């Protein structure tokens, strides 16, 4: 019964254009993948675009999905775009170009299973494996880390967007455009969660640890404005929302405030540094403020806090760091490593900060400062 209702909800959620607006072919001259209009047979875009790469990515479920990667040589961040339920990449290419230029970002857009030239059938579970496969492609093909990634979800695309965002603790940002609280809440305006519901964003939004920008039209007759407002209120780190007066469900890009507000958000995410992020985490965890002159040891711990926050690294710190037994470790200190507690109450840290990703230069510098300070502070009492 539950599966039947879930399938019924899925039928209301997915409306892939039929036929697809484009096809993917190999170019005879060099074997490069190109997109061709399904109606005219003309290449998308007309003429060769060296900054457009087309990928066919296999998911964990065996589906092969199509993704467009638009490169901006001046970009510092990458935008991963999950579109709405009634469009495919052939219709969205022009929008992608405008966002790439105006926001100064690299942009990766993809078609869900069963959309466009992607194989398989659209379903909630498939969209989750779809976005996971695209994110893995960004990592392997372009070296994109979660710290340099903004996830963008429009309408139904808010489902896979929040699914992935909840799994990435160091994500740079999330944009929710005409987003939904859940599938059944769009159809029935229910106030409770049911096991047959799909895209339960109302729960996943609480797990997102980065700034969340919500954009919604006040006259949206498909997904009521209350969905966007509800997600914004439940965000752990809400950014100033954009409520577009008179905006509907599919026309928000036409309003000047849309691109203006989005540009401001992306610019602020570009300039967010580790000091700002640490301050926000302290505020969220409601840690006590420091009074008086900071001790050497407390400063060293702050440096290590920053390293834990920004260092997704493959690095090994050997047996050089010894922390006094009376040291107080607050919740902000994250040590994804081997921590050995000796009998005398001294915490000896080995192989600290072993994780996936690229170890950034400023993290190395931070540790270079922290290690001698901790050695100097050995045996002292930490006052936090």
């Amino acid at each position: 019964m539950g599966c039947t209702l879930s399938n019924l909800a899925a039928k209301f959620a997915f409306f892939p254009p039929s036929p697809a607006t484009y096809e993917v072919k190999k170019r005879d001259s060099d074997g490069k993948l190109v997109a061709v209009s399904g109606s005219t047979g003309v290449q998308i875009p007309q003429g060769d675009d060296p900054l457009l790469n087309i990928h066919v990515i296999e998911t964990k479920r065996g589906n092969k999905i199509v993704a467009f990667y638009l490169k901006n040589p001046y970009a510092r961040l990458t935008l991963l775009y999950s579109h709405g339920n009634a469009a495919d990449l052939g219709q969205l290419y022009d929008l992608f170009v405008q966002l790439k230029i105006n926001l100064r970002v690299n942009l990766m857009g993809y078609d869900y299973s069963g959309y466009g030239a992607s194989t398989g059938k659209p379903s909630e579970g498939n969209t989750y494996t779809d976005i996971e496969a695209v994110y893995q492609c960004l990592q392997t093909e372009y070296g994109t880390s979660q710290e340099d990634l903004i996830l963008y979800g429009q309408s139904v695309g808010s489902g896979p967007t929040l699914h992935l965002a909840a799994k990435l603790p160091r994500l740079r940002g999330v944009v929710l455009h005409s987003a939904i609280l859940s599938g059944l809440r769009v159809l029935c305006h229910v106030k409770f969660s049911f096991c047959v519901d799909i895209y339960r964003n109302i729960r996943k939004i609480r797990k997102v640890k980065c700034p969340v920008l919500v954009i919604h039209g006040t006259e949206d007759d498909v997904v009521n404005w209350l969905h966007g407002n509800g997600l914004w209120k439940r965000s752990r780190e809400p950014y100033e929302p954009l409520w577009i007066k008179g905006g509907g469900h599919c026309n928000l890009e036409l309003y000047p405030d849309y691109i203006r507000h989005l540009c401001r958000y992306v610019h602020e995410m570009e300039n967010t540094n580790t000091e700002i992020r640490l301050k926000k985490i302290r505020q969220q965890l409601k840690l006590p403020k420091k009074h008086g002159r900071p001790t050497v040891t407390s400063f060293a711990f702050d440096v290590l806090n920053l390293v834990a926050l920004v260092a997704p690294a493959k690095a090994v710190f050997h047996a050089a760091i010894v922390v006094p037994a009376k040291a107080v470790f607050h919740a902000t200190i994250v040590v994804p490593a081997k921590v050995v507690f000796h009998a005398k109450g001294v915490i000896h840290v080995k192989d600290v900060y072993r994780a996936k990703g690229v170890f950034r230069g400023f993290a190395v510098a931070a540790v270079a400062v922290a290690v001698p300070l901790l050695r100097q502070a050995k045996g002292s009492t930490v006052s936090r």
Side-chain angles (χ1 to χ4, degrees), residues 8-18 81-89 91-92 110-116 122-124 127 153-160 177-180 183 186-187 198-199 220 222-223 249-250 253:
L8 180 62
K11 289 182 179 179
F12 283 101
F14 304 110
F15 299 94
S18 182
Y81 192 106
S82 299
H83 61 67
N85 69 342
D88 66 18
L89 294 178
Q91 298 169 321
L92 293 169
Y110 66 101
D111 265 336
Y112 311 124
S113 298
Y115 276 72
S123 70
E124 179 187 15
T127 60
Q154 179 185 15
S155 190
V156 165
S158 60
H177 173 164
S178 303
I180 65 175
V186 176
L187 297 175
I198 64 173
Y199 295 129
D220 191 329
V222 178
V223 178
H249 189 67
C250 300
E253 298 90 344

Side-chain angles (χ1 to χ4, degrees), residues 18-239:
S18 182
T21 64
Y22 72 99
E23 300 174 359
V24 173
K25 298 181 179 181
K26 279 189 177 181
R27 193 163 54 193
D28 295 334
S29 60
D30 56 5
K32 181 180 179 180
L33 293 177
V34 295
V36 178
S37 171
S39 58
T40 65
V42 177
Q43 183 175 328
I44 304 174
Q46 294 186 15
D48 187 31
D49 182 0
L51 299 179
L52 170 64
N53 292 331
I54 298 177
H55 298 273
V56 176
I57 308 167
E58 186 169 355
T59 72
K60 293 179 181 179
R61 297 190 172 191
N63 297 324
K64 293 183 178 180
I65 60 171
V66 177
F68 288 6
Y69 181 83
L70 289 75
K71 181 176 178 58
N72 187 326
Y74 305 101
R76 294 169 58 188
L77 301 177
T78 297
L79 191 75
L80 175 50
Y81 192 106
S82 299
H83 61 67
N85 69 342
D88 66 18
L89 294 178
Q91 298 169 321
L92 293 169
Y93 175 77
D94 291 337
L95 172 63
F96 288 171
V97 171
Q98 293 301 316
L99 291 177
K100 178 192 80 168
I101 296 172
N102 291 323
L103 302 181
R104 199 178 62 180
V105 295
N106 301 313
L107 191 146
M108 177 74 97
Y110 66 101
D111 265 336
Y112 311 124
S113 298
Y115 276 72
S118 299
T119 66
K121 294 183 178 180
S123 70
E124 179 187 15
N126 279 342
T127 60
Y128 293 158
T129 56
D130 294 342
I131 195 171
E132 289 171 358
V134 174
Y135 173 60
Q136 186 175 9
C137 176
L138 282 173
Q139 289 180 302
T140 57
E141 295 292 329
Y142 302 101
T144 305
S145 64
Q146 59 178 288
E147 294 87 351
D148 297 324
L149 185 64
I150 294 176
L151 300 184
Y152 188 113
Q154 179 185 15
S155 190
V156 165
S158 60
T161 291
L162 288 176
H163 166 78
L164 182 60
K167 295 184 175 185
L168 301 179
R170 294 183 294 275
L171 192 64
R172 185 61 67 101
V174 168
V175 180
L176 299 177
H177 173 164
S178 303
I180 65 175
L181 286 168
S182 75
L184 285 181
R185 283 175 171 81
V186 176
L187 297 175
C188 309
H189 304 289
V190 294
K191 295 183 178 181
F192 304 98
S193 295
F194 297 90
C195 61
V196 298
D197 203 354
I198 64 173
Y199 295 129
R200 284 177 270 189
N201 296 337
I202 192 171
R203 294 183 177 180
K204 293 183 179 180
I205 188 65
R206 302 180 189 276
K207 300 178 182 179
V208 178
K209 300 178 181 178
C210 62
V212 176
L213 166 62
V214 178
I215 303 173
H216 217 107
T218 59
E219 301 300 323
D220 191 329
D221 58 356
V222 178
V223 178
N224 192 280
W225 167 82
L226 293 174
H227 285 253
N229 189 50
L231 290 169
W232 177 68
K233 287 182 175 179
R234 289 171 173 83
S235 299
R236 295 173 63 171
E237 193 173 340
Y239 186 83

Side-chain angles (χ1 to χ4, degrees), residues 1-12 196:
M1 180 66 177
C3 292
T4 302
L5 290 174
S6 292
N7 290 335
L8 180 62
K11 289 182 179 179
F12 283 101
V196 298

